[in-house]
Amino acid sequence: MTIVVEMTWQRRRSRFNHDWLKNQYLLSFGKCVNVLAGKVQDPEFDRERFLRRVVREWEQRGGEGLALGQDYESAMSPAVFFETTALRNCSPDTLVWLRPLIHELWKVRCDAGQHAQAVIDAANDTHAAFEMLKAAVEGDRTESDETLADRFNGFADCCQRLSQAISRLESTVRVI
Amino acid sequence: MTKTDAPKTKVGVIDNNRERRNAMASAFTSAGCEVVQFYESHDRYGNATLKSDPASEPSASFQLVLCHTTDRELATDTRLGVPGGVTCTSIIYYGGSGGNDSNIPNGALRIWRQILGGTECLNETEAQEIVSFINSNMSEEMPVCLQPPKNMELLPALSILCQGYLGVHAAPGSLDVDVEVKWREKHTMELVKEALRTMKWNEVKKEMVAEIMRSPEGRARLRDGDPDARIVGVTSPAWWLDVFRGRKNLVDDVRGEWGSSPNFDESVKPLLEAILGKEKIEPGCVVEAFNAIYHRLKSER
């Protein structure tokens, strides 16, 4: 069941994780992983340019993953129905106990707190890995190819884990 | 011409994920269609070649093409040697965003449920419905999987009120003793226990339940009301009706959201009639409605 209220968060999730992170950003990493690992020789592949693009894109969009985790509970809890459906007619006496009850039941049913925290942790880990990669890409170029490869692979793994953590979040508001 | 003599509908499936592409193709093959799959094959240098299966497909013109949203550029790829690429009468997009993908052209047909891998793909019945719809020049009723999700309001609201009603009657962690006595009727009691399990009532920590619900007095107040404090109890039709005020045809409105699914009259209508009546709302009709709405909403996912 999908309702209008969830669209903002759901669209943000869809555009970040599905459209960009999983199907654009991470997919584009494949060739670079092979070049850095020495599995593929491709003189036309501009490694520096590619890595600068990777850094630039994450700087622009990386924060969206963290925000998805932080906003998850407030955006996807069925408690939103008290603002958007006939339940807005509930009396204040009822709202005092029914709204938190429905929210807590939902949190238990779908492990909402744990899943949201996993996204926040994965986003923070990814950003830490990104900072190390960025230092290697934009620094004084004294890093060896091996170090650069390690940092890129570390960042790619973190991105992968972030994508998987976001995938585990509910994609629709469910009352039960 | 008998049905078996009718020319097969030609369907193309464009998708770079093999498992998902095979699942989608399999549904349409089972539905009696002639299916060609298109995908991009990469060598170790990242160079792509467009392939088709079967490879000997002489023409790339179809009545229907199913296209994964992120692979839509393949539809206009000319590497197959077909001028203009793959052409078709109708195209249906699908993907992991459940129809909300920004890559889908405005107004285009799409499958509205999330299709991430092979397990979420169409089944044979859905494929048959789509083929029938396309072959009728879209004059038949649109298959459910191509319809945008319904904007439900009343069924979720009813489910939430039912959860509130059941929560008020049950102590944190277990059913209240007086509820056990009152709901002696075994069938009802079993249904209530099932509903509470579905709600995960027993897993909610006591401290998370609102203060007013923790004491027997507090719950009794919420259940039966308190005229002095002007609190309307959950057993009063007024508590429910308050939410649906202004609706002249509550039963019909809820039935509208219920759609063509069975058992509305047996499971949900009795609660609605009780809400519109003057007697106390009994647990039997609440729990029947709750369980039915649970299954109905689950079928929407």
Side-chain angles (χ1 to χ4, degrees):
Chain A
M1 181 193 52
T2 305
I3 56 164
V4 174
V5 290
E6 79 198 48
M7 291 305 289
T8 305
W9 185 92
Q10 194 187 25
R11 273 203 177 251
R12 276 167 51 204
R13 166 196 159 126
S14 174
R15 285 181 180 173
F16 176 77
N17 194 37
H18 179 265
D19 296 358
W20 179 69
L21 182 59
K22 201 157 64 173
N23 288 310
Q24 273 185 38
Y25 199 54
L26 276 167
L27 272 186
S28 73
F29 285 11
K31 188 168 190 175
C32 191
V33 168
N34 286 334
V35 170
L36 286 171
K39 289 180 186 167
V40 170
Q41 301 291 324
D42 186 350
E44 289 183 12
F45 180 67
D46 189 338
R47 190 180 73 180
E48 300 301 317
R49 191 174 165 193
F50 174 80
L51 289 172
R52 279 197 300 275
R53 182 181 67 76
V54 165
V55 166
R56 194 172 59 244
E57 281 197 50
W58 183 261
E59 278 180 329
Q60 288 169 352
R61 302 207 57 171
E64 293 175 39
L66 180 64
L68 283 172
Q70 289 169 331
D71 298 345
Y72 176 58
E73 277 195 37
S74 60
M76 299 303 282
S77 163
V80 298
F81 281 98
F82 288 93
E83 277 94 47
T84 58
T85 70
L87 290 167
R88 60 182 165 266
N89 294 328
C90 281
S91 71
D93 291 326
T94 296
L95 281 176
V96 165
W97 62 270
L98 187 55
R99 199 178 192 284
L101 175 68
I102 294 302
H103 181 69
E104 292 304 328
L105 286 169
W106 170 74
K107 278 180 71 177
V108 171
R109 278 197 301 269
C110 63
D111 284 331
Q114 269 181 299
H115 287 322
Q117 191 57 49
V119 170
I120 291 168
D121 291 346
N124 287 331
D125 289 348
T126 309
H127 199 69
F130 164 75
E131 291 292 354
M132 291 178 69
L133 175 67
K134 185 183 175 188
V137 171
E138 295 181 348
D140 55 10
R141 312 290 166 92
T142 56
E143 307 283 5
S144 66
D145 276 5
E146 199 177 334
T147 304
L148 190 60
D150 282 348
R151 292 189 179 183
F152 181 74
N153 289 334
F155 175 64
D157 287 346
C158 284
C159 283
Q160 191 74 48
R161 281 199 291 274
L162 174 61
S163 177
Q164 287 165 350
I166 294 172
S167 296
R168 282 192 282 272
L169 302 179
E170 295 278 331
S171 57
T172 54
V173 178
R174 295 178 180 183
V175 287
I176 189 68
Chain B
M1 187 182 283
T2 63
K3 194 179 177 184
T4 48
D5 295 330
K8 288 184 171 182
T9 302
K10 286 189 70 178
V11 176
V13 178
I14 301 173
D15 193 332
N16 279 329
N17 178 298
R18 186 169 60 178
E19 181 218 358
R20 200 172 48 209
R21 185 178 69 243
N22 283 341
M24 194 62 90
S26 171
F28 283 89
T29 304
S30 300
C33 301
E34 183 185 334
V35 182
V36 180
Q37 302 182 31
F38 295 95
Y39 58 99
E40 215 167 25
S41 174
H42 292 261
D43 64 16
R44 62 195 306 227
Y45 300 102
N47 301 315
T49 322
L50 187 63
K51 296 199 169 181
S52 70
D53 179 13
S56 57
E57 175 59 23
S59 127
S61 178
F62 299 89
Q63 278 132 303
L64 171 64
V65 162
L66 280 296
C67 181
H68 188 262
T69 53
T70 54
D71 304 319
R72 59 185 292 241
E73 71 278 4
L74 296 187
T76 51
D77 203 306
T78 55
R79 278 175 291 167
L80 275 175
V82 180
V86 176
T87 60
C88 59
T89 315
S90 302
I91 186 162
I92 296 173
Y93 294 94
Y94 63 91
S97 293
N100 292 314
D101 199 308
S102 51
N103 283 330
I104 301 176
N106 284 339
L109 290 174
R110 69 206 63 195
I111 296 168
W112 277 95
R113 73 163 171 266
Q114 279 190 316
I115 297 184
L116 295 163
T119 50
E120 298 95 6
C121 275
L122 299 175
N123 58 36
E124 183 186 335
T125 308
E126 290 172 318
Q128 278 168 342
E129 287 172 0
I130 286 177
V131 169
S132 176
F133 173 66
I134 296 298
N135 287 340
S136 74
N137 289 327
M138 303 190 199
S139 62
E140 286 184 4
E141 189 181 354
M142 185 180 275
V144 173
C145 62
L146 299 182
Q147 293 178 19
K150 285 178 185 160
N151 195 10
M152 287 199 186
E153 175 176 12
L154 299 174
L155 289 175
L158 266 175
S159 173
I160 283 175
L161 293 175
C162 290
Q163 290 176 61
Y165 177 100
L166 294 168
V168 164
H169 283 76
S174 65
L175 283 180
D176 206 344
V177 176
D178 66 344
V179 177
E180 290 271 7
V181 174
K182 191 173 176 183
W183 296 355
R184 260 185 302 229
E185 197 187 328
K186 199 177 170 191
H187 176 64
T188 302
M189 200 63 217
E190 286 308 311
L191 287 177
V192 169
K193 283 181 177 172
E194 186 195 328
L196 291 173
R197 275 195 296 273
T198 304
M199 286 163 58
K200 298 281 183 200
W201 173 259
N202 291 333
E203 281 87 336
V204 171
K205 290 179 183 156
K206 280 185 184 180
E207 62 269 24
M208 295 299 187
V209 175
E211 179 97 29
I212 194 170
M213 294 181 71
R214 281 183 224 158
S215 69
E217 298 78 21
R219 287 198 305 281
R221 236 171 136 205
L222 292 181
R223 188 179 61 213
D224 305 322
D226 181 348
D228 293 338
R230 293 187 183 175
I231 289 176
V232 180
V234 297
T235 53
S236 164
W239 184 75
W240 302 73
L241 207 51
D242 213 19
V243 171
F244 302 112
R245 63 174 174 246
R247 287 193 179 269
K248 290 177 183 163
N249 300 304
L250 181 61
V251 177
D252 289 343
D253 291 349
V254 177
R255 193 197 297 273
E257 284 190 7
W258 189 263
S260 56
S261 302
N263 298 333
F264 176 83
D265 285 346
E266 298 84 358
S267 55
V268 181
K269 196 175 170 190
L271 172 62
L272 297 173
E273 287 173 341
I275 292 170
L276 296 169
K278 289 180 179 167
E279 303 294 320
K280 268 190 165 186
I281 308 285
E282 292 296 330
C285 66
V286 174
V287 78
E288 290 275 4
F290 171 80
N291 285 332
I293 292 169
Y294 166 66
H295 290 294
R296 175 66 186 84
L297 294 180
K298 207 172 161 192
S299 73
E300 279 285 307
R301 293 172 191 168

